[in-house]
Amino acid sequence: MPETHKIYFEPVDIEMDVGEDEKILDAAFRQGIHLMHGCREGQCSACKSYVLDGEIQMERYSTFACNDAEVDEGYVLLCRAHAYSDCTIELLNFDEDELLGGVPIQDVTTRIAAIEPMTRDIVSLRLTATEPTTYDFKPGQYADLTIPGTDETRSFSMATTQSTPGEVEFLIKKYAGGKFSALLDDGLSVGDEIKLTGPYGSFTLKEGHVLPVVCIGGGAGMAPILSLLRCLEETGSTRPVRFYYGARTADDLFYVDLITTIGKGLRDFEFVVCLSESMPEDPGAYPFEAEAGNVTDVVARREESLNKAEVYLCGPPPMVDAAMEFLEQHGVPKDQVFHDSFTSPVTGD
């Protein structure tokens, strides 16, 4: 049996056990401790922490998330770290309300209720929970779906909310050769069983916050933002909301009518489509504003006070990276920016 060690987290005064065969982040989930995290693949740095004492080794990770100099100083990514002694770790990023109050990780058996193409490369996958019959999560989070017939999983964000506790929708981008997404064309059918584990992620609305909300999305990054918009509408939020969605052409748009309907229940809601390749011949025929250019260019033209808003980003890594750089240049504090991206083939295939 692998040895078990104690982990002491500072400055939050939390203690937990971890086996040498499990990653520290996974051990925290198992014990109901919700540490800050993102991709869980060692690529996003959300779980970066500092080792004050003890022996820790990391599995393969991206040096973009934690470079060699940082590792030499004692920084680690908890999603890739194994403890080989009792350790004291300083958390660099944490939410006190989330630490011991997050939604527990659940293993849920589901059945496919619908598979519906949204665009040429994005599919809506709707699942019904069967054992148990509900699945609890916070808007903006994601789940691991097991590829049928294997032990492999892929991660996808929920597009729905707890208003449908037994039904959940995922918006999935199809990739050539994708082990999961390829099955959406040929291999999965209504009624098939899929195992789900979750929820994961910190891309969530923070209770008690009152700043305006600016959402920037692209591709299947529509899913968690749609979940956030639904939550804001369902809870009667009075926060002003703007949603900028980046696409190449009007043919890449979907759920426009749904977003417009949700927006009617939000304060000062604006939905702006940012088209990078071509504008529609008759923009007035669409129930949204459309502007030419990459999404960051459009946001720069329209938003003068981003430092007085909370910004939620989700989409392909190039889009998220460009938006993060843009927001830093415009003086938006890091604690007002929340982002999620498809950082590897494992998270978005």
Side-chain angles (χ1 to χ4, degrees), residues 3-7 18-24 54-57 81-87 89:
E3 287 192 49
T4 298
H5 305 289
K6 293 286 186 184
I7 302 290
V18 60
E20 291 184 353
D21 62 337
E22 63 181 338
K23 293 182 277 287
I24 292 175
E55 182 183 352
I56 284 178
Q57 295 181 16
H82 293 263
Y84 292 94
S85 70
D86 292 350
C87 299
I89 296 174

Side-chain angles (χ1 to χ4, degrees), residues 127-262:
L127 304 179
T128 300
T130 58
E131 183 58 42
T133 56
T134 60
Y135 167 50
D136 192 19
F137 62 91
K138 291 185 177 182
Q141 292 189 296
Y142 68 89
D144 285 349
L145 302 185
T146 300
I147 300 173
T150 77
D151 293 328
E152 295 184 67
T153 63
R154 293 294 185 267
S155 301
F156 303 106
S157 297
M158 282 74 72
T160 41
T161 68
Q162 289 307 111
S163 62
T164 56
E167 304 284 338
V168 62
E169 179 186 18
F170 299 91
L171 299 172
I172 300 173
K173 181 177 175 63
K174 295 188 294 184
Y175 291 91
K179 288 188 177 180
F180 190 99
S181 60
L183 297 176
L184 298 172
D185 284 330
D186 182 18
L188 290 176
S189 303
V190 171
D192 287 352
E193 183 179 285
I194 291 182
K195 299 288 186 180
L196 175 156
T197 300
Y200 299 105
S202 307
F203 187 76
T204 57
L205 294 166
K206 311 308 172 187
E207 294 185 11
H209 290 205
V210 297
L211 290 175
V213 173
V214 174
C215 298
I216 303 174
M222 168 80 76
I225 292 177
L226 184 56
S227 183
L228 297 182
L229 296 178
R230 282 171 156 153
C231 177
L232 289 166
E233 191 273 332
E234 291 167 2
T235 57
S237 173
T238 58
R239 302 173 70 177
V241 182
R242 278 99 70 192
F243 179 19
Y244 296 89
Y245 185 74
R248 289 187 292 269
T249 72
D251 290 338
D252 297 306
L253 302 176
F254 62 103
Y255 274 165
V256 169
D257 291 339
L258 174 61
I259 292 168
T260 302
T261 299
I262 293 172

